[in-house]
Amino acid sequence: MGDLTDDIERCLADCACDGPTAERARCSCEEGRVRETKRVLLDERRRLLEELHASQRGIDAIDHLLARVASEM
């Protein structure tokens, strides 16, 4: 699983995944523990989606304020 382990490490580094989580994914992949590897990746995906949704709410709020400012000027 060498290439897959490298890809997982690279992907999680690109996602700004914390060190212990990335290490857990790497170890479980190297040891062939597919369920654990998938669990770590799915948890990280969930974290990223939560960040994305929070950012989207901020963007929506700013867009709303921009529209209000534009209509009052």
Side-chain angles (χ1 to χ4, degrees), residues 1-65:
M1 291 211 185
D3 287 343
L4 181 56
T5 301
D6 293 342
D7 290 344
I8 288 172
E9 283 182 307
R10 192 173 311 111
C11 175
L12 293 177
D14 290 346
C15 296
C17 178
D18 65 75
T21 301
E23 180 65 15
R24 199 168 102 224
R26 185 189 64 75
C27 287
S28 61
C29 184
E30 281 181 348
E31 295 170 3
R33 293 180 289 143
V34 176
R35 284 186 182 165
E36 175 67 13
T37 304
K38 286 174 69 174
R39 186 177 308 117
V40 173
L41 292 172
L42 286 169
D43 288 347
E44 189 60 19
R45 182 181 188 278
R46 188 175 303 111
R47 181 190 70 81
L48 290 169
L49 272 174
E50 288 171 2
E51 287 181 10
L52 174 70
H53 292 152
S55 293
Q56 185 62 55
R57 284 190 296 276
I59 291 168
D60 291 345
I62 289 171
D63 286 347
H64 176 73
L65 290 173

